[in-house]
Amino acid sequence: MRTSSTLYILFGTLLSAAGYGATFLIASWFRAQGGSELDAGTTLTMALLGTLVGVPLVGWWAGRVDSARLGALGALAMAGGYLLLGSLAGLDPAYLPRLAALLIGLGWGMFYLGAPLALSERLDDQQRGPGFTRFSAFQMTGICGSPVVLAALLDNAGLAFSSAFLGVGMTALVAAALLFAFGLSAPRAPTTPRLRPWARKITALVPTGAIRPILMAGLGGAVFSGIMAFQSSLTEGTGASASAFFALHAGTAVVLRLLLVRRLSSWPRGTVVICLLTCLAAGVICLFGSAVHPAFHGAAAVLTGAGYGLLYPVIQTWAVNASAAEDRHAALTWFVVAYFIGIFGFPAIGGWLLVAAGRNSFIWALAALVMVELAVATAGGRRGASAGR
């Protein structure tokens, strides 16, 4: 691809991801309106329903419509959700915040499958690993950079939540334009227009081992959303800062992804995955020390940024390359479905845990999810590890 085409999708991804990153402020918005984490979790469940509509839509129609255009339509839907959220004066009527979350989830789901699918269709097996790593670096910058910038504007510049959400909506409109431009500047190879059934192909993915990174995507997404969506609750009453956590987490993930963009795909996958999950587990455990000293919270940000930040592109590449060529579209679709079940499904459980059981129980739940993910990664023993070389 030409450099200009690459820049279109990378910056379109950056701005679209900023839209998802803004969802980390929804819990704070609810508290400002007199609601609770439980209300935020319930609303974000609507975002999960949206993604479970958006992802299959792209999965089925990507054979007829360029995935880049589907991703751009997703950015437009996300813009609509934020423009609606920014226009609300309160929590009543209750269905409006949920409708906004539904649109955000629909848009993020369409983008989250459409954009990497558009990139994957234009890369070969050797280019895919570095391509996904670079793509995910821009994605992580948007996801974690957005709440840092918005929190600073809300806390220090007196920006209202409504203005912040309206600004995010406008940013998503720019993202849609960039993704449309990418599709025009880098046309995909000609294909026979057809629907792409993907759900029933799960039976073909299980024997290849691609099912393991798919399951890991869901578990890792749950841990990531738990840490990020309730970051303000985790720092409440401590000397730690949620904004500092977002910045350190994103900075660590992005810098390491860019530094290791070529090397990461050449190292033994089994060893890399185990090391990264161990790093993620250590970061979650450090959250227990946040009330003791902010340094523990900073260590948690760096360790989770390194662990989850590098793990995601590794298992995404694993899921695609471990599949037969005719099943790669289904593998990436299932990978994204699993991720969204974790990313938007866990906040409802996490919000209930925080309210009913407290902060420590919540962190123990995150640690347990990392241990389950490690068990999935190591299933198959030496045979699975050798396959990763």
Side-chain angles (χ1 to χ4, degrees), residues 25-335:
L25 299 176
I26 288 180
S28 299
W29 180 76
F30 269 96
R31 285 202 304 274
Q33 305 296 321
S36 69
E37 287 84 358
L38 190 58
D39 297 315
T42 302
T43 299
L44 288 174
T45 300
M46 296 302 296
L48 170 62
L49 294 178
T51 61
L52 295 181
V53 172
V55 171
L57 280 176
V58 174
W60 285 319
W61 286 95
R64 287 179 176 263
V65 182
D66 186 2
S67 302
R69 295 184 181 181
L70 293 172
L73 289 174
L76 284 175
M78 190 158 46
Y82 276 109
L83 293 175
L84 173 59
L85 196 61
S87 67
L88 299 180
L91 300 181
D92 292 323
Y95 70 85
L96 285 179
R98 294 173 185 176
L99 176 60
L102 183 70
L103 286 171
I104 292 168
L106 173 67
W108 183 237
M110 292 183 68
F111 162 81
Y112 204 84
L113 178 58
L117 192 58
L119 185 64
S120 181
E121 290 171 342
R122 291 160 170 84
L123 301 175
D124 59 31
D125 285 0
Q126 287 70 39
Q127 297 171 325
R128 192 170 290 112
F132 276 168
T133 302
R134 190 177 294 110
F135 174 90
S136 62
F138 276 76
Q139 185 170 270
M140 182 61 75
T141 301
I143 290 173
C144 293
S146 170
V148 171
V149 173
L150 291 174
L153 292 173
L154 289 166
D155 296 339
N156 301 323
L159 184 71
F161 274 105
S162 58
S163 299
F165 289 145
L166 289 173
V168 173
M170 298 301 293
T171 299
L173 291 176
V174 176
L178 290 172
L179 292 168
F180 272 118
F182 171 73
L184 293 174
S185 64
R188 66 177 180 177
T191 59
T192 302
R194 59 185 178 86
L195 291 176
R196 290 179 173 178
W198 55 271
R200 65 173 180 262
K201 287 198 172 186
I202 191 68
T203 56
L205 298 175
V206 172
T208 67
I211 191 65
R212 287 163 57 201
I214 288 171
L215 293 173
M216 291 170 66
L219 293 165
V223 174
F224 179 70
S225 70
I227 292 173
M228 306 301 274
F230 298 107
Q231 188 55 217
S232 58
S233 299
L234 292 174
T235 56
E236 188 175 2
T238 72
S241 165
S243 295
F245 185 95
F246 290 136
L248 283 172
H249 181 98
T252 301
V254 171
V255 169
L256 289 179
R257 284 177 179 181
L258 294 177
L259 287 177
L260 301 177
V261 64
R262 298 285 178 187
R263 297 182 181 180
L264 195 60
S265 59
S266 66
W267 290 338
R269 186 185 64 218
T271 303
V272 168
V273 168
I274 291 172
C275 289
L276 294 177
L277 283 171
T278 302
C279 187
L280 179 59
V284 171
I285 296 300
C286 281
L287 291 172
F288 284 109
S290 300
V292 178
H293 195 280
F296 284 101
H297 207 70
V302 172
L303 289 169
T304 57
Y308 182 80
L310 291 178
L311 180 68
Y312 187 89
V314 171
I315 62 175
Q316 185 180 41
T317 304
W318 177 7
V320 175
N321 286 356
S323 312
E326 64 272 16
D327 296 330
R328 286 178 173 174
H329 164 265
L332 192 53
T333 304
W334 273 110
F335 185 91

